[in-house]
Amino acid sequence: MKPVQGSETSFTMNNNKLHLTEADSPVYDNQGFQREVEGRAWGPSQGSYPSLPQLTPSYVVSAPRTINTHHTAIPGPAQSPRQEKETRQCHWKNVLCACLCVAVILAVVALLLWYFLYYQCLLGKSCGAGGKCLSSSQWCDGVLDCSRGEDESHCFRLQGTDSMLESYSSHNDAWMPVCVDDWNDDYGKTVCEQIGYTRQDYETYAQIHLGASATKGYMRLKPGTYYGSHIQSHFTHSMTCSAAVKLHCSECGRSQAGPSSRIVGGAQAENGAWPWQVSLQFNGRHMCGGSIISADWILSAAHCFQEYSNPSGWKVFSGDVSLSRMRFGDTVQRIINHENYDSNTNDNDIALLKLGTPMAFTRTVRPVCLPNSGIDMPAGSQAWITGWGALRSSGQPPDKLNQAQVTIYSRDICNEDHVLNGQVTQTMICAGRLQGGVDTCQGDSGGPLVVKAGDVWWLAGDTSWGIGCALRNKPGVYGNVTYFINWIYEQMQDN
Ligand code: 4AZ
């Protein structure tokens, strides 16, 4: 290796003299303060700078350059009229310069304030990503402020396995239980409609006693009768109430036959055990599974509709475990694929199908429950998968619906190097058996992953992807329905 020459640098500080001695490097020698002659600085470019007032320190530049570090007032000679004029001009230039600096600083502060308070909406809430910024009190006040109505579209939610109704209070910036006093079915239907269901989906309401646990109080209807939508503007905060509202917007999650435990490694299902399971068929061929979530809506996976995006080619078959026994399918009016579905990563693999006509529910045709807020399906939970998918990788689809029990794994375990190596995002959950042998497979896509809690079945996932089927350390991957809950209700509200 060729040594680098002349690269050693030494600095010596001596009486304000900074000597930078390196081969060919310049030497800066501070010669101390230099008196101005006729108001102008000495130096190589004499005459090219405006002269400075006498009381300002002067920086005399010569070759080698000299820097005065002592700010000393030096009495100068008496000024001529021309010098006085130049001094006055210079004074105004300094004032102007200071004003400009202040203006620039103010502009920068204003820009930062706008960026954080309005653009980033730090003190308020924004209408969707990058949308209009509203003050918190404009949220759920019954007045539409966002162009797409986002400020009034998520003002109610159902909480926990009891489906307790909660209303968002912008005043408290919190979700509060709704008081059952003066409540009736009509209000229940109105709220369910606002969440995304139809009035026909509505089942019933009941009361739930919270006792001392309702420490923040309730949202209570103001006296009077209300019609129309946006019922949230008719609530007021109250500390007293006999009980809270339990709201059932649909008759969901009830199965008429228990899972008697293929999918790979499973068993044939009984009629009525999984009444929300449907077969989605394109031009008469079973392609994917799906779940009934209301009389008008089927939830499935976006990847099922990438190539086959024409709703008129699809039919929805329900009501039986045998594919060959289901004769009449329901028509599909609309396919809504998640707008951020990514076919490379399988992120956001969820779709909704709006049916041409609402389904009639029977013992073997009924919806599964969408996850309420606060229903956790923690790692280790037992869940069930169902479908008409292949019983082994690349195998023929069976005629009878199969079922199997699986374990939900934490995202950390799913993403371990020897498992799915970081491919499981927050829009996904993984479930299966790490020892292998039980899994969903080709043809199960879009179908349900369900969990039972509080006597009803909740839809935790839609079958999305996997590495092979039922391999050791390769659990199946499902769309994370809890993650998509607001997206799902928004589509149901808008369509
Ligand atoms: C599929 O191709 C598929 N093992 C679905 C689920 C799994 C693999 C493939 C998970 O539809």
Side-chain angles (χ1 to χ4, degrees):
M1 198 161 101
K2 192 166 169 271
V4 183
Q5 285 177 354
S7 61
E8 273 176 29
T9 310
S10 71
F11 302 92
T12 14
M13 277 283 241
N14 189 1
N15 264 353
N16 278 344
K17 292 182 184 184
L18 177 70
H19 287 277
L20 193 136
T21 49
E22 186 182 41
D24 303 326
S25 64
V27 176
Y28 297 98
D29 193 358
N30 184 352
Q31 295 177 352
F33 177 74
Q34 306 292 303
R35 243 189 95 186
E36 288 179 1
V37 174
E38 294 204 355
R40 287 179 193 243
W42 289 42
S45 49
Q46 253 187 24
S48 60
Y49 302 106
S51 61
L52 298 168
Q54 287 291 312
L55 288 180
T56 54
S58 52
Y59 300 90
V60 180
V61 180
S62 62
R65 193 140 43 102
T66 304
I67 300 170
N68 171 29
T69 54
H70 306 283
H71 293 230
T72 359
I74 308 288
Q79 287 185 327
S80 67
R82 200 177 129 246
Q83 280 177 320
E84 268 178 19
K85 193 177 157 211
E86 281 177 350
T87 306
R88 266 201 314 277
Q89 277 177 348
C90 206
H91 171 75
W92 285 115
K93 274 185 188 158
N94 283 345
V95 170
L96 199 71
C97 197
C99 287
L100 264 174
C101 284
V102 170
V104 168
I105 290 168
L106 283 177
V108 170
V109 169
L111 200 73
L112 286 173
L113 277 176
W114 171 84
Y115 180 76
F116 286 110
L117 296 186
Y118 189 81
Y119 192 71
Q120 293 285 324
C121 206
L122 228 53
L123 293 182
K125 284 171 176 274
S126 79
C127 303
K132 196 165 137 189
C133 181
L134 304 181
S135 73
S136 299
S137 64
Q138 286 172 289
W139 223 257
C140 295
D141 63 353
V143 180
L144 281 178
D145 294 291
C146 297
S147 57
R148 286 185 287 125
E150 297 96 318
D151 56 321
E152 304 299 323
S153 61
H154 298 293
C155 300
F156 293 104
R157 72 176 189 188
L158 302 171
Q159 165 68 28
T161 49
D162 284 329
S163 293
M164 180 177 73
L165 176 62
E166 291 186 325
S167 163
Y168 178 74
S169 155
S170 61
H171 181 70
N172 296 288
D173 189 22
W175 289 93
M176 317 275 280
V178 170
C179 178
V180 79
D181 299 338
D182 302 321
W183 194 258
N184 63 35
D185 279 327
D186 203 51
Y187 296 139
K189 287 180 190 173
T190 303
V191 167
C192 289
E193 211 175 7
Q194 255 180 261
I195 292 175
Y197 295 92
T198 64
R199 295 180 91 80
Q200 291 71 40
D201 291 325
Y202 179 77
E203 188 190 1
T204 185
Y205 82 92
Q207 37 182 277
I208 174 170
H209 293 276
L210 300 182
S213 63
T215 49
K216 285 198 231 147
Y218 296 81
M219 296 302 275
R220 202 183 166 132
L221 276 170
K222 294 176 202 161
T225 315
Y226 306 104
Y227 298 100
S229 49
H230 296 152
I231 192 174
Q232 59 268 35
S233 58
H234 301 294
F235 284 104
T236 177
H237 180 249
S238 165
M239 287 310 290
T240 56
C241 176
S242 62
V245 174
K246 253 173 97 163
L247 193 60
H248 300 284
C249 292
S250 87
E251 278 181 72
C252 65
R254 270 161 265 166
S255 158
Q256 304 299 315
S260 53
S261 229
R262 258 161 307 203
I263 281 194
V264 187
Q268 275 182 19
E270 274 179 52
N271 254 341
W274 315 105
W276 41 84
Q277 170 83 58
V278 296
S279 160
L280 301 181
Q281 306 193 4
F282 193 79
N283 292 342
R285 202 172 127 225
H286 170 87
M287 305 282 278
C288 274
S291 303
I292 303 170
I293 55 167
S294 82
D296 295 274
W297 293 96
I298 306 295
L299 191 152
S300 187
H303 80 259
C304 294
F305 310 98
Q306 286 305 100
E307 281 175 52
Y308 308 97
S309 56
N310 183 358
S312 58
W314 287 92
K315 282 240 167 101
V316 179
F317 289 83
S318 59
D320 206 304
V321 291
S322 160
L323 279 184
S324 57
R325 279 205 300 251
M326 293 186 286
R327 294 277 159 80
F328 308 102
D330 288 301
T331 55
V332 175
Q333 187 192 91
R334 228 184 131 188
I335 299 172
I336 304 172
N337 271 354
H338 196 287
E339 59 279 9
N340 296 327
Y341 167 63
D342 183 331
S343 56
N344 295 314
T345 61
N346 289 307
D347 226 12
N348 302 298
D349 193 5
I350 188 169
L352 287 171
L353 307 190
K354 172 97 194 263
L355 299 174
T357 47
M359 276 181 163
F361 293 153
T362 65
R363 192 183 76 87
T364 57
V365 181
R366 51 174 61 243
V368 64
C369 297
L370 286 171
N372 285 347
S373 95
I375 290 191
D376 44 305
M377 300 158 188
S381 301
Q382 294 302 297
W384 287 81
I385 48 177
T386 48
W388 285 277
L391 300 180
R392 58 186 158 77
S393 231
S394 317
Q396 279 294 307
D399 180 59
K400 296 272 169 61
L401 184 69
N402 273 266
Q403 62 184 33
Q405 195 176 25
V406 289
T407 302
I408 295 181
Y409 295 112
S410 72
R411 197 158 298 118
D412 284 348
I413 289 197
C414 306
N415 276 326
E416 279 182 8
D417 300 353
H418 68 289
V419 184
L420 295 167
N421 194 20
Q423 296 179 78
V424 180
T425 68
Q426 59 180 346
T427 76
M428 310 169 190
I429 46 183
C430 92
R433 302 243 180 106
L434 287 180
Q435 69 267 35
V438 180
D439 198 4
T440 40
C441 203
Q442 288 92 8
D444 289 320
S445 279
L449 168 80
V450 290
V451 170
K452 194 169 190 180
D455 262 3
V456 291
W457 290 92
W458 306 89
L459 185 63
D462 64 279
T463 304
S464 177
W465 64 279
I467 297 178
C469 301
L471 300 177
R472 184 180 158 81
N473 286 329
K474 302 295 170 218
V477 187
Y478 301 80
N480 182 356
V481 173
T482 301
Y483 176 88
F484 294 118
I485 197 69
N486 282 348
W487 179 85
I488 295 167
Y489 283 134
E490 275 161 28
Q491 310 314 311
M492 290 169 69
Q493 285 168 20
D494 293 350
N495 296 280

